[in-house]
Amino acid sequence: MFDLPIRRLNICGKSLSLSLSLSLSLSLTYKYNRKHCCTLQVLNVGDCSHLGNESIECIVGMKDVGRTLLSLTFFNCPLVDDSTLQCVAATCTSLQTLNVRMCGKLSVVAATDRQEKERLKQCIFASIPSLQRLAC
């Protein structure tokens, strides 16, 4: 078996259960983080209808993940709300790309008024200074 650091982790799909996707991502990430510190740069957990705040917050809150993560996608995760964005803003200091499309509990996604949506986007950009692209 190759002993290489993980830079990209894609755990997508409606068929994945919360426990399977979380345990798989945590075990893979933890195993390699112990040897290589953290090298995870791209995390895609999109289209997981059972994935909630706790799972995403647990992953981005792991040792040094927030420091190295450049791209985070959790589109179509209907259980995710604004507390996850607060966690991401606090821990993902290098984040450049964030995709939160179709996460209906997020204020920025649920906003129907164009001015309110734009104001919420600006708040996200302000809270994550390194962010260059936001999809919502």
Side-chain angles (χ1 to χ4, degrees), residues 111-129:
T112 55
D113 179 66
R114 188 179 191 150
Q115 287 180 330
E116 178 65 7
K117 191 176 200 85
E118 199 54 43
R119 185 190 68 77
L120 291 167
K121 282 182 175 182
Q122 291 309 312
C123 289
I124 294 171
F125 277 109
S127 64
I128 310 173

Side-chain angles (χ1 to χ4, degrees), residues 84-127:
T84 295
L85 281 185
Q86 292 171 348
C87 176
V88 167
T91 57
C92 298
T93 56
S94 300
L95 195 64
Q96 296 173 2
T97 304
L98 177 62
N99 182 345
V100 294
R101 286 189 177 126
M102 299 180 357
C103 296
K105 286 189 175 182
L106 292 174
S107 299
V108 70
V109 176
T112 55
D113 179 66
R114 188 179 191 150
Q115 287 180 330
E116 178 65 7
K117 191 176 200 85
E118 199 54 43
R119 185 190 68 77
L120 291 167
K121 282 182 175 182
Q122 291 309 312
C123 289
I124 294 171
F125 277 109
S127 64

Side-chain angles (χ1 to χ4, degrees), residues 72-84:
L72 175 60
T73 297
F74 51 96
F75 71 91
N76 198 22
C77 294
L79 302 177
V80 172
D81 63 28
D82 290 336
S83 68
T84 295

Side-chain angles (χ1 to χ4, degrees), residues 3 21 24 49 57 67 77 84 103 122 133:
D3 191 18
S21 61
L24 176 63
S49 58
E57 291 172 14
R67 186 179 53 77
C77 294
T84 295
C103 296
Q122 291 309 312
R133 189 173 23 180

